[in-house]
Amino acid sequence: MNASLWTSMRKYKLEYALVVPGMLYFLIFHYVPIYGIIIAFKDIAPFEGLSGIFSSEWVGLKHFRDFMNSYYFWDILGNTLIISFYRIVFGFPAPIVLALLMNEVRHSGFKRVVQTIAYLPHFLSMVLLAGLVTAMLSLDGGFVNGFMGWLGFEPIPFLTDNQYFRSVLIGSGIWKEAGWGTILYLAAIAGIDQQLYEAATVDGAGRFRQIWHITLPGIRHIMVILFILSVGHILDAGFEQIYLLYSPPVYQVSDIIDTFVYRKGLVEVNYSYAAAVSLFKSVAGVILILGANYIAKRLDQEGIW
């Protein structure tokens, strides 16, 4: 152990002791379970329990090859990438735009009301969100189709038509999280030197030019870090929301890696195959986040390390 670190630990032993519970939490609940990864390289029987993890036969990369050669591979990989791409393209800018708009509100009372209304959907459970979306968009008694029928339009099967399902998915996700996502951006905007705005006003810059030349550069580092983290989750397209909203008619456009893992692992009790698919997704996510961080560094932007 480094001598200076040992000296520091002896000097600030109480402060270091406060770190121990957190380290134990991550060690027990996040690092120890990693040993379960080995089931992706074995053929374990579903009812052998923990002993089966160690006694079952090694099969190497068999489950990975089976997954990549399966009939469903390109469909679920394509759906995962497309849905994640839409989430980044439409979902990532949403809290930035909302934060910029909120920052322009000058009446403090109205601003607090707007912020509260924008934050509220974040606290809804995904089950409740799915219930609201279903109640709003269903063909049978849904508010939107009822209103369209009142205007004389034909009802639209938003939740059972491949043409509309992804739009419903992305739109409802943005509605739920965009408001909560503004917190970091508003905090970053609050840290910008106000003298910059005063100097820009004296120079005749309007609000739009101040946003473009002062506000956006001032929050750029937060935008880069959050974008890198978003890229790391590009294969994590949102299991809960899709599982609660999708149905067989829209499997073609909504079946993603996570829902496939759920069916293979818990429905078909094929733990090894499901673990291999899940590990494939995790490794791809790590590669993507390393790549995004590398590109950010090459562009002289702040990365996540």
Side-chain angles (χ1 to χ4, degrees), residues 104 197 200-201 203-214:
E104 295 303 311
Y197 292 105
T201 303
D203 290 340
R207 295 305 302 175
F208 180 77
R209 294 183 70 84
Q210 291 179 27
I211 291 172
W212 186 258
H213 293 289
I214 299 175

Side-chain angles (χ1 to χ4, degrees), residues 48-65:
E48 287 185 354
L50 289 175
S51 61
I53 295 177
F54 301 102
S55 61
S56 54
E57 181 185 358
W58 289 94
V59 294
L61 300 176
K62 171 179 175 290
H63 299 300
F64 294 91
R65 288 194 296 269

Side-chain angles (χ1 to χ4, degrees), residues 141-158:
F143 170 77
V144 174
N145 276 314
F147 183 69
M148 291 176 64
W150 182 72
L151 293 176
F153 293 99
E154 292 293 323
I156 297 175
F158 292 104

